[in-house]
Amino acid sequence: MSLNIVVCVKQVANPDYFSEITLDPETGAIQREKVPSVLNPVDENAIEEALRLREKYSGKVTAISMGPPQAKEVLDWALTLGADEAILLCDRAFAAGDTLATAYVLAAGIKAICPVDIIFCGNEAVDGATQQVGPQIAELLGYPHISNVSELIVNEDKTAVATRIIEYGHLKMEAKLPVLVSVSREINQPRTATAEGIFSLMDKVFRTWSLNDVTVDEKNIGLTGSPTRVGKVYEQKNERQRLILKGAPEEMVNTTIEKLRQEGLI
């Protein structure tokens, strides 16, 4: 059995630098210029699961992303880890899209390389955390989908048995291929890049597709095709009263208790 696998990946701001993200005081827009970008962490688990299936059954793994030209960096990383091909959906017309408009463009890109057996996504992106794009892609393609998957078994009869994390336990689900699977971090331990993988990057197929390379209705892409609207963006600041106590421990404890009583907190 040979599998044609697609992995959707996203370039996001490095979570280690989230505290350095600021807002434009006039427009309210998020400013990320000083924050380095990385591959969305759980997308690396999605890549790993795709590679393991290809190694078991043979086939091809294609990494796909929608984003600006610099998103090529995360696709190059996917190729370095072992993906066979990569596609970047890049056009100004795609910009400013919400999750639905993004899923619509990604689904159009995947349709262009169909038939596809399995689509992998990370369960959520660290910047938006909506968990919407994967299921929306599946709905647009008419595929069954299973989210928050911590274990996946694909059988020779092209059925997928997945264990998904739910509150207070796990749920086992089965679906016929083609299927979209959104994975959690618990599903595997991603491999590290090798020197061989780095050197092989030059021999891998990388494509950049614009609006003219996919079949889309322009009313469904970008800001125009986004039913979600951001009403306001603001920075939440918490100002707290500060009290510095001095003296013996017993005195400070008594003072603290009295202060809390005065504030009605105890």
Side-chain angles (χ1 to χ4, degrees), residues 63-251:
I64 189 168
S65 184
M66 188 194 88
Q70 57 265 34
K72 181 179 185 297
E73 295 173 4
V74 296
L75 288 169
D76 281 345
W77 183 245
L79 292 172
T80 298
L81 290 174
D84 301 290
E85 298 183 1
I87 298 169
L88 175 61
L89 298 162
C90 182
D91 198 295
R92 285 192 175 274
F94 302 150
D98 66 0
T99 62
L100 184 59
T102 299
Y104 180 76
V105 174
L106 287 167
I110 294 169
K111 281 180 183 177
I113 56 176
C114 275
V116 171
D117 296 297
I118 304 177
I119 302 169
F120 281 106
C121 299
N123 199 53
E124 66 179 14
V126 292
D127 54 359
T130 64
Q131 301 186 19
Q132 293 174 350
V133 172
Q136 286 172 333
I137 292 171
E139 289 295 324
L140 289 164
L141 293 173
Y143 286 14
H145 55 88
I146 309 172
S147 61
N148 213 18
V149 172
S150 60
E151 184 181 3
L152 180 69
I153 298 171
V154 176
N155 299 310
E156 290 281 358
D157 63 354
K158 290 205 169 183
T159 58
V161 180
T163 302
R164 67 185 303 266
I165 301 170
I166 59 173
E167 193 173 13
Y168 305 121
H170 295 82
L171 178 66
K172 188 160 284 189
M173 300 180 69
E174 183 176 318
K176 288 281 189 181
L177 273 55
V179 65
L180 183 144
V181 176
S182 298
V183 305
S184 68
R185 296 299 297 270
E186 291 81 3
I187 195 167
N188 57 44
Q189 178 62 47
R191 68 193 65 191
T192 56
T194 63
E196 182 182 358
I198 294 170
F199 290 132
S200 70
L201 183 60
M202 293 181 292
D203 300 322
K204 299 287 183 73
V205 176
F206 183 94
R207 300 185 179 93
T208 300
W209 286 352
S210 68
L211 180 64
N212 298 324
D213 297 304
V214 290
T215 303
V216 294
D217 185 334
E218 293 189 45
K219 293 183 295 185
N220 296 329
I221 64 174
L223 185 61
T224 303
S226 301
T228 308
R229 289 290 182 273
V230 178
K232 183 180 180 182
V233 179
Y234 62 93
E235 183 179 359
Q236 179 69 44
K237 292 185 178 180
N238 295 317
E239 295 295 334
R240 298 180 180 181
Q241 184 180 351
R242 296 170 179 84
L243 179 63
I244 299 175
L245 302 177
K246 294 182 179 179
E250 240 179 72
E251 294 174 358

Side-chain angles (χ1 to χ4, degrees), residues 256-266:
T256 301
I257 293 171
E258 184 59 31
K259 183 66 176 175
L260 292 172
R261 280 179 179 154
Q262 290 173 5
E263 297 293 335
L265 298 174
I266 59 173

